[in-house]
């Protein structure tokens, strides 16, 4: 563990009035959900074009089978120490918000109150024809291997997440841009920063004067613009940052 960098991040968080975290699939790998581009990523086994919206319309049964196999809620899936550390930072008044590219709901499950979901959420499925919304639990309770259909109009349902080729929810994107502009520390956690427009947010934050921190187990596309890069596992690094902050308060090095 690069402890000097852990202390450096704790110090930045201590000084900032508004820190924001942008999280990606890497924060949830320790919870048992694979990422896309990491060494064990989904794209080692599945062609990315399967996550294009046009593919859902052409092959809804196949896309639903994929979604259920990767993302269906399992009892074993729970927030890990990285999600919990971000929730703790928020309750300590050291984190304004989490902007997430994830669709798994694990930040909310860990107790984070302000979570901006850029790519939608697996809590719901939505009708591609009439827009009727269902909870995913309701849909999965009758799932039989074929794409579920709308009870009202018979249209194919879609998990309420953003597929490639679809726009991001405008309200969430606006909030994410505003938070990036306001942030004094902008932490990217578990994201390859390969997916636009989420990967523009660190640039917006940097342009508005934020210090950029990247915590990732491999290189990202924005390492060179970062002030601190910690190469490591989020579930190990983030609890250390919380510990370092608490130690700083106990020892009087930081203001509470
Ligand atoms: P990505 O797969 O492109 O990148 C994940 C990064 O996290 C990789 O660089 C990997 O090396 C790193 N990583 C893996 N495990 C880590 C760990 N324990 N600690 C720190 N870093 C770790 O993911 P992305 O940038 O989020 O973009 C992929 C898209 O896929 C996102 O839009 C997201 O919506 C979606 N997705 C979401 C989930 C989820 O909700 N859990 C899972 C897979 C994909």
């Amino acid at each position: 563990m690069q402890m000097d960098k852990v202390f450096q991040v704790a110090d930045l968080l201590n000084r900032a009035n508004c820190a924001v975290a942008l999280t990606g699939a890497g924060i949830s790998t320790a919870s048992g959900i694979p990422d896309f581009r990491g060494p064990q990523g989904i794209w080692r086994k599945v062609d990315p074009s399967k996550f294009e919206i046009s593919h859902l319309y052409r092959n809804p049964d196949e896309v639903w089978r994929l979604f259920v196999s990767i993302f269906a809620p399992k009892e074993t899936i729970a927030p890990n120490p990285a999600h919990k550390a971000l929730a703790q930072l928020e309750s300590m008044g050291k984190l304004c918000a989490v902007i997430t590219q994830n669709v798994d709901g694990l930040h909310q499950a860990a107790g984070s109150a302000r979570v901006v979901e850029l790519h939608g959420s697996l809590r719901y499925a939505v009708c591609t024809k009439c827009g009727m919304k269902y909870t995913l639990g309701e849909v999965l309770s009758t799932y039989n291997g074929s794409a579920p259909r709308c009870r009202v109009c018979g249209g194919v349902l879609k998990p309420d997440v953003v597929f490639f080729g679809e726009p991001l929810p405008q309200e969430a994107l606006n909030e994410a841009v505003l938070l990036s502009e306001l942030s004094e520390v902008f932490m990217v956690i578990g994201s390859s920063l390969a997916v636009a427009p989420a990967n523009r947010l660190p640039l917006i934050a940097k342009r508005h004067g934020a210090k950029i921190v990247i915590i990732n187990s491999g290189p990202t596309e924005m390492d060179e613009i970062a002030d601190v890069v910690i190469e490591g596992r989020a579930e190990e690094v983030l609890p250390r940052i919380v510990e370092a902050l608490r130690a700083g308060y106990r020892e009087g090095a930081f203001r509470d």
Side-chain angles (χ1 to χ4, degrees), residues 20 48 78 96 101 103 112 116 127 143 163 181 184 191 204 208 250 253:
V20 169
C96 293
Q101 300 170 82
V103 294
S112 285
V116 180
C127 176
Y143 177 70
F163 280 64
E181 289 173 356
E184 292 164 28
S191 174
I204 293 172
H208 284 77
R250 268 197 314 275

Side-chain angles (χ1 to χ4, degrees), residues 13 19 21 27 79-98 106-115 187 234-246 249 256:
L13 290 175
I27 199 169
N80 68 55
H83 300 103
K84 291 178 189 165
L86 290 184
Q88 281 161 2
L89 285 177
E90 187 184 25
S91 61
M92 289 161 74
K94 292 293 150 199
L95 192 71
C96 293
V98 175
L106 289 178
H107 287 299
Q108 293 90 332
S112 285
R114 189 165 182 195
V115 182
M187 292 195 287
E235 66 277 14
E236 291 166 7
V237 175
L238 284 171
R240 293 290 178 90
I241 291 172
V242 173
E243 265 169 47
L245 258 172
R246 289 200 169 125
Y249 297 141
D256 212 337

Side-chain angles (χ1 to χ4, degrees), residues 15-251:
R15 289 165 196 269
N17 289 312
C18 176
V20 169
L22 169 67
T23 64
I27 199 169
S28 294
T29 53
S31 297
I33 305 172
D35 61 14
F36 275 161
R37 294 178 186 79
Q40 314 295 327
I42 295 165
W43 287 359
R44 307 266 158 176
K45 298 170 218 138
V46 179
D47 178 351
S49 67
K50 308 264 185 219
F51 290 92
E52 276 170 20
I53 188 65
S54 54
H55 190 73
L56 175 92
Y57 287 118
R58 282 196 307 270
N59 298 290
D61 293 350
E62 184 193 4
V63 171
W64 269 93
R65 272 198 300 278
L66 259 178
F67 255 87
V68 169
S69 68
I70 299 167
F71 292 114
K74 301 181 187 86
E75 272 169 26
T76 48
I77 291 180
N80 68 55
H83 300 103
K84 291 178 189 165
L86 290 184
Q88 281 161 2
L89 285 177
E90 187 184 25
S91 61
M92 289 161 74
K94 292 293 150 199
L95 192 71
C96 293
V98 175
I99 303 168
T100 189
Q101 300 170 82
N102 294 345
V103 294
D104 55 33
L106 289 178
H107 287 299
Q108 293 90 332
S112 285
R114 189 165 182 195
V115 182
V116 180
E117 292 177 314
L118 283 179
H119 293 168
S121 157
L122 279 173
R123 280 190 297 279
Y124 301 102
V126 63
C127 176
T128 53
K129 240 171 150 182
C130 73
M132 179 81 181
K133 254 191 176 187
Y134 299 85
T135 66
L136 192 72
E138 185 185 357
V139 169
L140 290 181
S141 67
T142 54
Y143 177 70
N144 60 7
S146 305
R149 296 207 164 248
C150 179
R151 276 199 306 269
V152 178
C153 72
V156 166
L157 300 188
K158 170 183 110 72
D160 198 13
V161 302
V162 177
F163 280 64
F164 293 122
E166 285 193 299
L168 265 56
Q170 194 59 47
E171 206 177 308
L173 186 58
N174 290 348
E175 194 178 353
V177 168
L178 184 66
L179 284 164
S180 305
E181 289 173 356
L182 292 175
S183 68
E184 292 164 28
V185 176
F186 191 90
M187 292 195 287
V188 179
I189 301 154
S191 174
S192 63
L193 291 175
V195 179
N199 65 359
R200 312 299 300 165
L201 298 174
L203 295 173
I204 293 172
K206 177 102 184 163
R207 219 175 31 243
H208 284 77
K211 297 284 185 199
I212 308 296
V213 175
I214 296 182
I215 300 167
N216 204 63
S217 61
T220 79
E221 302 206 359
M222 306 245 167
D223 286 357
E224 72 272 19
I225 69 145
D227 297 276
V228 187
V229 176
I230 303 184
E231 194 165 337
R233 300 187 63 83
E235 66 277 14
E236 291 166 7
V237 175
L238 284 171
R240 293 290 178 90
I241 291 172
V242 173
E243 265 169 47
L245 258 172
R246 289 200 169 125
Y249 297 141
R250 268 197 314 275
E251 290 154 20

